[in-house]
Amino acid sequence: MSTHERLAALSAAGVSIWLDDLSRERLRSGNLRELIEDWNVVGVTTNPTIFAGALAHGEAYDEQVRELAARGASVADAVREITVADVQQACDLFSSTWDATGGVDGRVSLEVAPTLARDTEATVAEALDLWKAVDRPNLLVKIPATEQGLPAITQALSEGVSVNVTLIFSVERYRAVMEAYLDGLEQAAANGHALAGIRSVASFFVSRVDTEIDARLDRIGSDEAKALRGRAGVANSRLAYAAFQEVFSGGRWDALVAKGANAQRPLWASTGVKNPDYPDTLYVSELVVADTVNTMPEKTLKAFADHGDTQGDKVTGTGPDAQRVFDDLERVGVDLTDVFLVLENEGVEKFDKSWDELGATVREQLDSAG
């Protein structure tokens, strides 16, 4: 099977392939266009870590930084203008995909500042500001699924903003995210917004779950514990999909569909395999199922194109087996409540650190250009 055939088979199975990366170098060099045309990429996700890396390497931002320095822009304004410019260009590049898929794909995500993750009102204000600043219908504003983020998600949606909910680790929190989405749609309809134009994905993190749980299994050290290594991430995602199927059915959802609502698709995030003992396409091949997005680093995308395997739906109906994995994890002594709390806190902290690095890089570049 050829590279194109492997990716085409994944797309045909109902998995939207998004790239988990964006930089001005990708935009200028034609690399992103090539990935769209030849590698079945139909969307892009960004985060503070991605932008921090992009700004720290290469010269693609030099001209804009000089212009910003010349007019005395603050670091915060410079970060906003630089990231918005990249996202606008990517949105424009994906506009034909957006048209061809009726708004399902062709999406580009831009995250609110992670420093606001515990502040509902500030998150809402920034989400609305980003939506207006980018001014593209195929934007998704990323809002973290912290407890304070949940009402912000509802409020942003109620204003007609399309949202990518990020940093979801547990099925329990995922259910709260879906509830926030339904609340947001109902409020949007009451506010007079056309629901057909509102889209959302729920970014459920995969590899980080295995990384955290594997470390705890190693510390437990029993043969039974070690036998569970590398199984939690996929099992967790399969339980999430079962919850998705349950929530997006029934009377409440049917009433919203009648008003034009779109389901909030699960998005498998953090799908680059961090443990070299595991297959490098694990979090793609084992999570093939319709109505999902898999956002991949380019390395994972090209690994799957080279040797990935699409063997039909690997998720529907697997809930009972996935639940047994979690029952076994609890039985050997893994504190799952603590796992998900640690992962959420670490996720926010990592993006906070990247945001600080992004600001420091921009400050340094402004000073050099000024």
Side-chain angles (χ1 to χ4, degrees):
M1 187 179 283
S2 70
T3 292
H4 178 74
E5 287 171 332
R6 288 188 186 92
L7 295 174
L10 186 61
S11 299
V15 179
S16 293
I17 301 169
W18 291 6
L19 179 71
D20 191 28
D21 194 42
L22 181 65
S23 67
R24 195 157 300 176
E25 179 61 30
R26 280 194 189 277
L27 290 161
R28 286 189 175 176
S29 67
N31 168 267
L32 184 56
R33 183 179 296 279
E34 177 195 346
L35 292 173
I36 294 169
E37 293 175 351
D38 299 334
W39 296 80
N40 286 58
V41 170
V42 294
V44 154
T45 50
T46 70
N47 60 47
T49 303
I50 285 169
F51 278 123
L55 264 292
H57 302 98
E59 302 172 352
Y61 297 94
D62 288 358
E63 183 180 350
Q64 187 178 12
V65 169
R66 281 195 296 271
E67 292 172 359
L68 289 162
R71 67 171 199 261
S74 68
V75 172
D77 287 346
V79 168
R80 167 66 58 84
E81 290 192 38
I82 288 166
T83 55
V84 163
D86 278 3
V87 168
Q88 285 176 322
Q89 290 178 56
C91 282
D92 292 344
L93 195 55
F94 277 107
S95 60
S96 58
T97 305
W98 183 78
D99 287 336
T101 61
V104 174
D105 287 312
R107 296 280 168 176
V108 184
S109 296
L110 178 59
E111 190 155 348
V112 298
T115 52
L116 308 178
R118 311 291 185 189
D119 186 330
T120 301
E121 289 75 20
T123 294
V124 172
E126 176 142 337
L128 294 173
D129 195 32
L130 288 175
W131 184 251
K132 291 171 186 170
V134 174
D135 194 26
R136 299 292 189 276
N138 49 336
L139 173 70
L140 292 173
V141 177
K142 285 179 85 171
I143 298 176
T146 57
E147 288 185 17
Q148 298 83 355
L150 294 171
I153 292 158
T154 295
Q155 194 168 335
L157 290 161
S158 78
E159 300 285 348
V161 175
S162 293
V163 174
N164 175 345
V165 184
T166 189
L167 290 178
I168 309 171
F169 297 98
S170 71
V171 176
E172 179 183 14
R173 181 57 55 85
Y174 177 44
R175 286 184 176 277
V177 165
M178 291 187 284
E179 181 74 16
Y181 179 63
L182 297 180
D183 288 345
L185 290 182
E186 288 165 349
Q187 292 178 27
N191 290 340
H193 292 286
L195 299 191
I198 300 173
R199 294 277 178 175
S200 183
V201 294
S203 295
F204 202 81
F205 281 54
V206 188
S207 68
R208 292 191 195 181
V209 173
D210 272 339
T211 300
E212 178 65 26
I213 289 180
D214 282 1
R216 296 180 184 226
L217 292 170
D218 286 343
R219 287 197 294 272
I220 292 166
S222 67
D223 289 343
E224 187 181 8
K226 290 178 180 178
L228 291 167
R229 295 177 82 257
R231 298 181 63 191
V234 168
N236 199 36
S237 303
R238 288 172 171 172
L239 288 170
Y241 192 81
F244 161 74
Q245 290 182 303
E246 176 193 325
V247 170
F248 289 97
S249 61
R252 185 183 183 189
W253 177 240
D254 290 344
L256 286 164
V257 170
K259 296 178 181 179
N262 306 291
Q264 181 189 53
R265 290 186 296 170
L267 178 152
W268 311 131
S270 181
T271 56
V273 175
K274 296 175 173 62
N275 189 327
D277 295 338
Y278 303 155
D280 57 1
T281 60
L282 175 68
Y283 303 125
V284 182
S285 59
E286 292 301 311
L287 294 174
V288 174
V289 62
D291 300 318
T292 58
V293 178
N294 196 306
T295 185
M296 312 175 201
E298 185 173 4
K299 182 179 178 182
T300 302
L301 169 68
K302 295 199 167 176
F304 191 88
D306 180 69
H307 52 266
D309 194 7
T310 302
Q311 296 182 344
D313 185 344
K314 298 295 288 287
V315 178
T316 303
T318 61
D321 286 341
Q323 185 57 53
R324 277 191 285 275
V325 171
F326 275 82
D327 293 343
D328 290 344
L329 287 168
E330 288 193 311
R331 190 169 59 250
V332 299
V334 175
D335 183 343
L336 294 169
T337 300
D338 186 64
V339 164
F340 295 128
L341 179 63
V342 166
L343 286 170
E344 179 178 299
N345 288 336
E346 282 185 353
V348 172
E349 288 165 11
K350 284 177 181 177
F351 283 165
D352 264 350
K353 184 179 178 184
S354 296
W355 191 252
D356 289 343
E357 290 170 359
L358 175 59
T361 299
V362 170
R363 181 180 293 107
E364 184 179 317
Q365 292 181 358
L366 286 170
D367 290 345
S368 297

